[in-house]
Every structure is written in C-alpha cells, then in structure tokens.
Amino acid sequence: MLKLLQFLLGPLLLALPLVSQAQDTEPVTVPRQGSPGREEYSVLKADSKIKEGAYRSYGGRKGTTLVMNGFYIAGQQDSLWTAYADNGKTLRWKGRYRQGQKVGVWDYYSSEGKLTQQYDHSSGKLVFSLPTPHSMRATFQALSEEEITCPPVYIGGEALLMRNIGISVRYPAAALRNQIMGDVRVGFIIDKDGNASNYRVVQGLGYGCDEEALRVVKLMTSNWIPASANGKPVAAECQLPVSYRLK
C-alpha cells in the first residue's frame, strides 16, 4: 500500500516546486521607452530585478499591438523570441535564446516581411542571405590590393541595421531650426575578425548632424561577418548613410 501511494503521489510531489515557483512571481507592467506602448513580464518576489516567465512588448501607433514576445528564466532570455513590425503581423526576426545567448538558426526579415537572412548563432555560420534594397546604400571598399569577392555581411541583415540607426537618430535642434535635410555618410573599418573601429564622417551636413550620425553608428553592435577575398577573411571599409528628413 505504501509503495502504491508513493507511485501515485510521486508526480504530484515533483510538480510542487514548479507550482511554488509560479506563486513566487508577480506581474510587472512598465511603459516602453521612447515610444507608445508597454512591456509586460513577471519578476521574482524575492528579487524584483530578476525576470521570470513570459515577456510581451506592445507598441504601434496606439501602443496596443504586440511587437515582441519571449520568455525569461532566472533573469536571462530563454526559449523562442519573436519580434514583429508595428502592425503586429509582419515578422522582423525570430530565434531561440539559451541562458541569455542566441542559439541555433535565427531568421531575419525585411521591412516587407520577406526572409532575407538565416544565421546559425551556435556555429557562427551564415546559412542564407538575400540582398535587400538597403544593400545599395551601404558601400564597401577593400583596404588592400586583394579584390573583395564577398562583401561584409551584417548579422541580422542590413534592413535591421538601417532600422536601428533610423530609430536611434535624434534630429539636432540646429538642423531643425534651419530645416537641414540630407545624408551623412559615416565610414569605419571592419577587420578580418568582423570587429568595427576607426569611425569617421566621410560626408557631412553640419548643424550637429555629423556628430549625431557618428554617435548613432558607434552604438550599433559589431555584428559583422568580415569581407572575404577568394575565401580568405580580409579587412574592408564600410560607409553607411544616416538620413535626416523632415516630414
């Protein structure tokens, strides 16, 4: 009889820590920074700095559209994460985290929702890459006599890179007052290991636009696959445009 009770109660006893863990969290809702919307997640009651469980972010014009969802375990991003455009339908990217690190193959999409890149973050290899219209705006130049047979590739796709630049730019007050519009081109070196450095303004507009463009491009994570010449990684210079437009 005792063995039978242990057999019947065993699964229930094993599940108790999970129930206890769920009861030890409390929901949190905070406004999104810099745009309408909110973030929803749970934190441990014992330590409100540690996120635990499902995560959702809402944005869009009214701040009510789901634009990102994922999961936290012990304060670290885990499991499947997905990001959407402000319409809540068009995919931006999706992939898995494990203990706060990207793992496996991630899918990255254009602003129209077309798959443009797949990158295996576990093996560090590009699985698939489709040129986007933004590729025509970024230019690359070899730093040696070797001819580049494959230009540098931004992990996540250039659509993501240009979008991150666009949402990070703050229009300088002097440029607003004088209705300055145009592009600032920022150049930098991508070495054979994919690291970016030596940032400089190649073509400027003045009125604070050059300094702001330089600041924003420096903020971008150095997620580059280096250029190659006949299969060998080589350094190259990249030039990116930072656009200023008044609506």
Side-chain angles (χ1 to χ4, degrees):
M1 179 65 72
L2 180 59
K3 290 184 177 181
L4 179 60
L5 287 173
Q6 289 176 335
F7 175 78
L8 294 174
L9 293 176
L12 179 61
L13 293 173
L14 288 172
L16 284 177
L18 297 177
V19 175
S20 174
Q21 184 180 23
Q23 292 176 341
D24 288 339
T25 63
E26 56 185 354
V28 173
T29 300
V30 297
R32 291 182 71 195
Q33 294 185 351
S35 60
R38 68 188 188 278
E39 295 177 85
E40 295 179 351
Y41 52 87
S42 294
V43 297
L44 295 180
K45 288 185 177 180
D47 189 342
S48 61
K49 295 180 180 179
I50 300 178
K51 297 176 182 178
E52 185 75 28
Y55 169 90
R56 295 181 182 86
S57 179
Y58 295 87
R61 290 186 177 182
K62 297 182 179 180
T64 57
T65 303
L66 180 66
V67 293
M68 186 181 300
N69 57 32
F71 202 84
Y72 278 94
I73 295 179
Q76 293 184 317
Q77 290 171 290
D78 210 280
S79 306
L80 179 65
W81 281 68
T82 307
Y84 302 91
D86 287 344
N87 61 16
K89 298 178 181 179
T90 305
L91 282 169
R92 290 202 184 280
W93 52 258
K94 64 178 179 180
R96 292 186 174 275
Y97 281 94
R98 183 180 300 138
Q99 296 180 342
Q101 301 296 320
K102 293 179 179 179
V103 295
V105 176
W106 278 56
D107 296 337
Y108 298 96
Y109 299 82
S110 69
S111 56
E112 294 78 27
K114 185 176 182 178
L115 180 65
T116 58
Q117 188 184 104
Q118 289 181 312
Y119 185 80
D120 191 332
H121 287 271
S122 296
S123 64
K125 293 182 179 180
L126 186 65
V127 178
F128 167 77
S129 182
L130 181 69
T132 68
H134 292 297
S135 297
M136 299 176 64
R137 304 192 67 201
T139 59
F140 303 98
Q141 183 177 348
L143 295 179
S144 65
E145 294 182 356
E146 296 178 286
E147 182 180 354
I148 293 178
T149 53
C150 184
V153 175
Y154 188 76
I155 300 171
E158 285 190 46
L160 177 65
L161 173 63
M162 300 307 293
R163 177 179 179 273
N164 288 342
I165 289 175
I167 64 177
S168 300
V169 171
R170 302 168 186 164
Y171 223 111
L176 277 173
R177 286 195 301 269
N178 291 276
Q179 295 188 324
I180 300 300
M181 293 187 290
D183 291 344
V184 174
R185 294 194 71 84
V186 177
F188 54 93
I189 305 300
I190 302 171
D191 65 23
K192 62 181 181 180
D193 295 318
N195 300 311
S197 63
N198 298 338
Y199 296 88
R200 64 191 180 93
V201 174
V202 178
Q203 177 184 333
L205 289 172
Y207 297 90
C209 295
D210 304 351
E211 294 81 0
E212 175 63 7
L214 198 60
R215 180 191 72 83
V216 168
V217 173
K218 284 182 177 180
L219 285 177
M220 299 301 106
T221 310
S222 229
N223 285 343
W224 290 93
I225 299 172
S228 61
N230 297 316
K232 183 180 73 173
V234 295
E237 182 183 57
C238 173
Q239 291 187 17
L240 283 177
V242 178
S243 298
Y244 293 88
R245 299 287 185 271
L246 293 172
K247 297 180 180 180

